[in-house]
Amino acid sequence: MTGKIGKTVQESQPHWPEGPVRPGGIDGKGAPNILVVLFDDVGFSDFGCYGSAIRTPTIDALAGRGLRYTGFHTTAMCSTTRAALLTGRNHHSVGVGCLANFDSGYPGYRGKISREAGTIAEMLRPHGYRNYMLGKWHVTPLTETGATGPFDGWPLGRGFDRFYGFLDAETDQYAPELVRDNTPCDPPRSYADGYHLTEDLVDQGIRYLADHVADNASTPWLMWLAPGACHAPHQAPAELIRHYDAQFAHGWDAERERRLARQVEMGIVPKGTRLPPRNDLVRPWDEVSADEKRLFTRLQAAYAAMLDHADQHLARLVSFLEAAGQLDNTLILVLSDNGASQEGGPFGMINAMGPYNLKREALEEKIARIDDIGGPDTHSNFPLGWAMASNTPLRRYKQNTHGGGIRDPLVMAWPHGISARGELRHQFCHASDVVPTLLDIVGVKPPKVIDGVRQMPLEGTSFARTLARAKAPSKRKPQYFEMFGHRGLVQDGWKAVCFHPPGNDFSHDQWELYHLAHDFNEVEDLAATEPHRLQAMIDEWWRQAEACKVLPLDDRFAPRFADNAKRFHGPRKRFVFHRGMGHLPTDVAPDVRTRSYTIEADARIDGPQTHGVLIAHGDMTCGYSLYVKDNRLCYDMNVGGLHHVIVSDRPLPAGNRRLGLRMRHRDHRNIATLLVDGEPCGGFDTQVGFVSFISWSGLDIGRDRASPVSHYEAPFAFNGLLRKVTMTMDDDQALDAGQAADATLATE
């Protein structure tokens, strides 16, 4: 019966279309809820159940109630793995061949997931799923994260019903760049009040699910929880950081040995697996000085504490699922997006914003600040040696296509649907295989059309059969890898891989060959003894590369980065920020790096009691602020924690005033002049400045949102009348694209 419309209700027949019916699932008993917990920059061995001594009891318990995969692979970087995980296709194929930070002008490198590649949220929505996204997104071009979007690449534009998180690669955990749905918002509390982003994300996740259960508990849901842990900055409670000092005082060499022994005992790696030599630039721990050992141990402790802290809050979410009667039929996946990060360099960093701007962090300075590590005025990252230990027993790091960059932990638990308890699965599988697996488990086919757009085929292969069958075969289809010119191919238990030094002729790169079925961690190179097999795999790599939009190979990170910024800003040199404006993300804010510019605020001073921020871009670790304090106009250029402050040489007279700052960039120097109604009233002259990076935190007028750039307590809102702030850039930017690119890459 479809209903009938007559002249009156007595002659008519109503009709109510049936809503979507919960899919049958893999066993016909009903599709599960799905919780994906995606960690960031966590190495292969960092979960306790993969060999680490870091406390991860929640993740370990999930592994004990389900499965651990030892052959799960990602794409070596965050944007790219997320694109593959969300769509079930290879990252180049969907337009995210590199980072969301730029569009290279080629189909595989748009920095944005194509509409022909629907996300898992878009695929599940027609089947009644409600979709919730929390945490890191980073598959929207950063130049599209401003107030005008476009929003079609934001989570709500790609199938999610709610979003609470951040759009960029990283954010400060105490003062994050938060977005709720399609609107920037302030953190609910501050560091002084005990705020941390991980706790906030879990609070929001519990809220979403509590609301969901209250409204309709029988409706299935997908929750994608992507905390900042353990991407830099490594920030966690101080007492928890100090707890891990003793845990890692033995150093990275001994830690690798201990982890490998535990991995062999657990069956994570085969007996007989031996550690490869130390990665390049990693010194033996015995050759590290006493002061460096103390510093490096504390930097590792901050990383460990951040992971431990995240596990503690994940426990709250799992406990809520159990209390709400949702746990038994919820499929939980816990994984990482790539291997541990090499971006801390040989010596690690306490505030990376300084080195990115050529402000060297001397060892003495680091030692003096050792107790600040993990706090709100630090942007710390651990040194290469600890990243190497995180990736035990694999070679190299994130960004690379050797095992340390692309082999990652994957835990799966589902009391209702996975009968295995604490078992291992050794099949090769890839990030692009996750969506086909979830669709198999849910019991639905990938749609041919989404929102009127014909969809490209899924490229991943379901590994759902491995949930019940320990000896189910691995995928047979070749799987390619590529990142910044590093390449690889896995096929039938073999791996061909090459490391590409930046700027090297691609034809001169040295390919290596490993039999993964007998050489878990790529120690014995068989290129010389199996040249024909290697050549066949290289040829196959080129075929896959052509089919999946990998070409053209491009290691020009610096020019791509510079070209993208120039294309976005174009000829625009003037920005007007009116009262009432919201928060502006850093990538769409005025670019004041290595250039001349002028700031002018149109404001009313009511007397000596008038104070507050006129404009601020950045946070405690780096940025600039123009503000009124103690009846004086002030400007602070904070470069990696080094403050260059000007205070006007006279009080501000009451009335309508033009309050400004003129910066002139001449001969590698920055010459600043404070202006009141166009008249100079103080200044500085320094070689220090924003060379490559301003801040992860964005721009506000009339306040400094959460983490203060200068010496005041945020938000230090302006209590006079601020009508507008105008910024005018001179056409003299002398940006070193290479340095700027290195800074951006180091923060990804």
Side-chain angles (χ1 to χ4, degrees):
M1 174 73 69
T2 59
K4 173 186 173 184
I5 304 295
K7 291 182 177 179
T8 67
V9 69
Q10 288 79 11
E11 299 168 332
S12 303
Q13 179 68 43
H15 171 67
W16 292 274
E18 293 184 6
V21 177
R22 189 170 190 144
I26 198 169
D27 56 3
K29 297 180 181 178
N33 307 309
I34 301 169
L35 171 62
V36 177
V37 183
L38 179 58
F39 282 91
D40 200 341
D41 290 4
V42 169
F44 180 76
S45 71
D46 277 329
F47 296 160
C49 54
Y50 278 80
S52 172
I54 299 173
R55 291 189 72 258
T56 56
T58 309
I59 299 169
D60 300 348
L62 291 170
R65 297 199 293 266
L67 301 168
R68 282 167 293 166
Y69 285 78
T70 68
F72 176 67
H73 286 67
T74 56
T75 69
M77 286 294 279
C78 46
S79 294
T80 52
T81 292
R82 289 159 204 272
L85 285 171
L86 284 164
T87 67
R89 288 98 169 177
N90 289 302
H91 58 107
H92 295 87
S93 296
V94 305
V96 190
C98 193
L99 297 169
N101 300 64
F102 49 66
D103 177 351
S104 296
Y106 299 106
Y109 298 91
R110 293 297 183 192
K112 185 176 186 177
I113 297 173
S114 66
R115 302 306 303 185
E116 293 77 17
T119 68
I120 182 64
E122 290 171 314
M123 297 179 201
L124 293 180
R125 177 180 271 174
H127 301 281
Y129 275 77
R130 305 296 189 268
N131 303 313
Y132 308 109
M133 167 73 208
L134 296 145
K136 175 174 171 175
W137 182 241
H138 204 208
V139 284
T140 295
L142 300 186
T143 52
E144 295 187 3
T145 60
T148 60
F151 303 105
D152 60 341
W154 294 32
L156 267 61
R158 296 313 308 254
F160 287 94
D161 299 298
R162 298 302 309 271
F163 170 55
Y164 185 77
F166 56 102
L167 298 171
D168 212 330
E170 69 170 61
T171 196
D172 188 288
Q173 300 296 297
Y174 301 122
E177 294 281 285
L178 282 174
V179 172
R180 186 182 296 280
D181 298 331
N182 282 350
T183 305
C185 63
D186 291 352
R189 293 179 291 129
S190 68
Y191 172 78
D193 300 321
Y195 178 86
H196 192 284
L197 177 59
T198 299
E199 180 180 6
D200 189 14
L201 293 175
V202 171
D203 285 346
Q204 292 296 320
I206 292 172
R207 165 69 187 272
Y208 286 159
L209 293 181
D211 288 348
H212 182 104
V213 170
D215 187 36
N216 189 348
S218 64
T219 302
W221 51 263
L222 163 70
M223 177 167 284
W224 199 279
L225 172 62
C230 282
H231 196 295
H234 297 153
Q235 294 171 317
E239 65 277 9
L240 191 56
I241 293 174
R242 288 192 294 270
H243 164 80
Y244 276 103
D245 277 348
Q247 187 96 11
F248 295 109
H250 52 259
W252 48 63
D253 290 328
E255 182 66 15
R256 279 215 299 170
E257 295 283 357
R258 295 181 185 190
R259 292 193 186 194
L260 177 59
R262 285 192 288 266
Q263 289 173 329
V264 171
E265 182 181 354
M266 292 174 174
I268 297 288
V269 303
K271 291 180 180 179
T273 299
R274 64 186 191 275
L275 289 173
R278 294 180 194 88
N279 292 330
D280 297 342
L281 303 180
V282 177
R283 288 178 288 164
W285 186 256
D286 289 344
E287 296 179 10
V288 175
S289 72
D291 278 346
E292 287 177 312
K293 285 179 178 177
R294 187 164 149 250
L295 170 66
F296 295 166
T297 299
R298 179 61 61 87
L299 289 169
Q300 164 65 6
Y303 173 90
M306 194 178 193
L307 180 56
D308 182 333
H309 180 253
D311 184 89
Q312 292 178 35
H313 287 287
L314 178 59
R316 294 195 298 119
L317 182 58
V318 173
S319 295
F320 173 81
L321 292 176
E322 186 169 25
Q326 297 278 298
L327 184 60
D328 285 350
N329 199 31
T330 296
L331 170 64
I332 302 177
L333 292 81
V334 184
L335 62 158
S336 177
D337 63 353
N338 45 243
S341 162
Q342 61 181 291
E343 286 102 26
F347 305 104
M349 300 178 184
I350 290 185
N351 183 0
M353 301 297 102
Y356 296 160
N357 288 306
L358 305 186
K359 175 190 169 291
R360 179 175 171 268
E361 276 193 316
L363 177 61
E364 297 77 15
E365 178 186 340
K366 292 179 179 179
I367 293 295
R369 296 200 63 202
I370 195 168
D371 289 331
D372 296 336
I373 291 172
D377 59 346
T378 66
H379 191 289
S380 69
N381 204 344
F382 58 10
L384 292 174
W386 286 117
M388 177 184 67
S390 287
N391 293 332
T392 301
L394 307 169
R395 297 173 59 199
R396 301 195 185 273
Y397 317 94
K398 168 189 172 182
Q399 300 182 24
N400 305 141
T401 51
H402 283 76
I406 61 174
R407 199 163 192 161
D408 290 287
L410 169 62
V411 170
M412 294 181 68
W414 177 21
H416 180 82
I418 297 177
S419 59
R421 295 293 180 267
E423 295 183 14
L424 296 169
R425 295 292 185 265
H426 301 296
Q427 291 85 352
F428 172 84
C429 49
H430 185 260
S432 64
D433 301 330
V434 169
V435 163
T437 302
L438 295 178
L439 294 179
D440 260 8
I441 291 170
V442 169
V444 301
K445 301 291 184 185
K448 291 184 169 59
V449 176
I450 295 177
D451 292 335
V453 178
R454 182 160 293 279
Q455 298 293 289
M456 59 186 289
L458 297 185
E459 293 175 333
T461 302
S462 171
F463 56 90
R465 59 187 178 276
T466 66
L467 271 59
R469 296 170 52 202
K471 297 189 179 300
S474 294
K475 68 186 292 183
R476 296 297 304 274
K477 185 178 179 181
Q479 179 60 56
Y480 81 88
F481 299 88
E482 189 278 335
M483 186 57 60
F484 302 128
H486 306 300
R487 285 156 283 164
L489 184 88
V490 172
Q491 185 176 19
D492 297 330
W494 290 79
K495 180 177 180 180
V497 62
C498 75
F499 176 85
H500 174 73
N504 201 42
D505 188 320
F506 288 106
S507 65
H508 294 166
D509 288 341
Q510 188 69 40
W511 282 83
E512 304 159 19
L513 180 67
Y514 300 100
H515 193 188
L516 293 181
H518 302 286
D519 183 10
F520 182 93
N521 56 338
E522 306 165 26
V523 171
E524 187 176 356
D525 183 5
L526 302 176
T529 57
E530 295 265 8
H532 299 298
R533 182 188 298 274
L534 176 59
Q535 188 58 54
M537 293 188 73
I538 294 172
D539 293 343
E540 181 60 37
W541 186 91
W542 284 104
R543 284 191 289 271
Q544 293 290 323
E546 185 172 5
C548 296
K549 304 178 186 175
V550 180
L551 306 180
L553 282 176
D554 190 353
D555 63 355
R556 302 173 305 113
F557 189 82
R560 285 191 283 176
F561 176 77
D563 289 349
N564 196 76
K566 185 182 295 185
R567 247 190 348 268
F568 173 70
H569 287 289
R572 185 179 183 188
K573 298 295 183 291
R574 187 168 183 267
F575 295 76
V576 181
F577 304 126
H578 290 275
R579 181 180 59 187
M581 183 196 84
H583 186 67
L584 194 67
T586 197
D587 278 83
V588 296
D591 182 2
V592 300
R593 295 171 298 169
T594 58
R595 77 182 322 156
S596 302
Y597 60 92
T598 303
I599 305 172
E600 184 174 87
D602 178 359
R604 187 185 72 217
I605 301 296
D606 295 322
Q609 73 277 12
T610 302
H611 64 255
V613 169
L614 300 167
I615 183 170
H617 181 183
D619 57 30
M620 200 179 290
T621 65
C622 205
Y624 63 87
S625 177
L626 182 67
Y627 58 98
V628 175
K629 186 178 182 183
D630 298 329
N631 202 31
R632 306 274 174 150
L633 180 63
C634 309
Y635 175 77
D636 188 346
M637 184 177 70
N638 170 0
V639 180
L642 178 61
H643 294 264
H644 295 75
V645 180
I646 321 170
V647 178
S648 64
D649 58 15
R650 69 204 73 157
L652 293 176
N656 293 322
R657 296 284 168 252
R658 291 181 291 118
L659 307 175
L661 180 284
R662 182 175 64 225
M663 183 71 74
R664 292 294 173 259
H665 185 72
R666 300 285 186 269
D667 300 321
H668 305 289
R669 302 194 69 80
N670 294 291
I671 305 161
T673 305
L674 277 181
L675 303 169
V676 175
D677 295 331
E679 294 296 320
C681 56
F684 63 65
D685 182 340
T686 178
Q687 284 187 305
V688 178
F690 303 116
V691 177
S692 302
F693 206 74
I694 301 170
S695 177
W696 282 107
S697 300
L699 179 150
D700 290 279
I701 69 164
R703 64 176 190 149
D704 191 347
R705 195 175 59 99
S707 173
V709 171
S710 193
H711 306 297
Y712 46 72
E713 186 174 339
F716 199 40
F718 187 67
N719 62 359
L721 175 63
L722 178 62
R723 299 179 182 88
K724 65 181 179 180
V725 178
T726 302
M727 290 191 68
T728 306
M729 257 68 62
D730 290 14
D731 196 15
D732 64 349
Q733 189 171 44
L735 185 66
D736 184 317
Q739 290 174 346
D742 289 345
T744 298
L745 179 58
T747 57
E748 295 303 326

